[in-house]
Amino acid sequence: MSCHSPIQDMFCRVLVPMATQTPHLMNALLSLAATHRLTLGMDQSMSELSHLKASSLRQLQDALARPGASLDESVVATTLTLCHSDFVSDGRSPGSWRSHLQGTTAIISSYLEKSKASPDSLTNTMSLLWRWYLSIETVALLTGNLVMPNDSRALLQMRKLISDDKIDDLAGFSSSLGPIFKKINRLAIEADLALKQDETHFPADSDPKNRIPLSVLDESYQLINEIHSKMGPQERRFRPTVDASVHK
């Protein structure tokens, strides 16, 4: 994730005022800050970090359990913060970020369905949270074997309309890479599953390519061609609203 000053200012403008009104988001942000201190090698109490994270989770669960509770931007922000905290925790909670990312996907999907939001109607806050989610998901897909739930109709529409070749100043790369990484991850899972299912029917030294379904191979070759087409000379463009200082 990019850390240049416009993005830092954007996060502060969006998250800090929201956190002052939302205890579960405040504790989640403090937990992320404490995690960051640890990754920098600074002195940080582990019991304090555990308390902040547990408090955020408990408060989030209590907020969602209240009668008439609805998903809002603060809930999405809290789940993203907790997920990001686990993602950068330097192996202290191996694999926990996967379940948090899946939960975050479900919450964002439900929010989009209920709010009937579209790219043109997203608030500045939700636009930032959506891009934050996409940046975490894209990097997470590079770890391999990440089983993600199927997209809802609203989530699928949002991906299709927002993913383009423009560079996202928050993620630091083109938002069109996300769908490519997702395809690679899915094909890798399908190929691995096919190899495991057939390992008793083929000699151990047989060519693995002969044991992978043709549909997976065909789609893999198509994906390779798609990637090659994106590697040619292209004008690199940022999103239209990006601060000019980012280009320097």
Side-chain angles (χ1 to χ4, degrees), residues 69-237:
S70 60
L71 296 175
D72 58 20
E73 292 173 341
S74 68
V75 171
V76 176
T78 298
T79 57
L80 278 170
T81 304
L82 290 170
C83 181
H84 195 124
S85 181
D86 274 350
F87 196 68
V88 299
S89 64
D90 195 27
R92 283 178 295 277
S93 302
S96 61
W97 61 266
R98 292 175 180 265
S99 58
H100 276 169
L101 182 58
Q102 292 171 346
T104 302
T105 303
I107 286 176
I108 289 183
S109 179
S110 296
Y111 176 87
L112 292 174
E113 291 281 3
K114 293 179 180 179
S115 66
K116 300 187 183 304
S118 66
D120 294 332
S121 66
L122 284 181
T123 64
N124 289 335
T125 297
M126 197 57 207
S127 176
L128 174 65
L129 297 178
W130 171 248
R131 289 161 54 213
W132 187 10
Y133 165 78
L134 283 182
S135 70
I136 295 176
E137 182 194 58
T138 301
V139 174
L141 286 168
L142 294 176
T143 65
N145 290 322
L146 178 63
V147 180
M148 296 292 292
N150 292 329
D151 285 344
S152 67
R153 182 178 302 177
L155 198 58
L156 192 62
Q157 181 185 25
M158 193 67 69
R159 289 185 195 279
K160 185 176 180 179
L161 291 175
I162 289 183
S163 294
D164 54 34
D165 287 327
K166 296 183 179 65
I167 298 174
D168 189 324
D169 52 321
L170 190 157
F173 47 75
S174 169
S175 53
S176 65
L177 290 178
I180 291 177
F181 292 156
K182 197 165 189 177
K183 289 178 184 177
I184 292 173
N185 185 75
R186 177 179 57 79
L187 290 170
I189 291 175
E190 291 179 5
D192 186 56
L193 180 61
L195 290 175
K196 288 180 179 178
Q197 289 177 339
D198 289 340
E199 61 184 3
T200 58
H201 300 88
F202 289 85
D205 58 349
S206 62
D207 188 348
K209 188 170 67 174
N210 297 330
R211 296 155 54 191
I212 297 176
L214 288 177
S215 59
V216 174
L217 290 176
D218 288 343
E219 193 170 351
S220 298
Y221 292 134
Q222 292 174 12
L223 186 57
I224 290 172
N225 291 332
E226 180 181 349
I227 294 173
H228 281 164
S229 68
K230 292 181 177 294
M231 294 174 65
Q234 294 184 28
E235 180 185 0
R236 305 303 175 188
R237 296 175 298 167

Side-chain angles (χ1 to χ4, degrees), residues 22-43:
T22 316
H24 54 74
L25 178 56
M26 177 64 78
N27 279 318
L29 288 174
L30 291 174
S31 173
L32 178 58
T35 299
H36 184 56
R37 287 175 58 87
L38 281 175
T39 61
L40 293 177
M42 300 174 66
D43 184 38

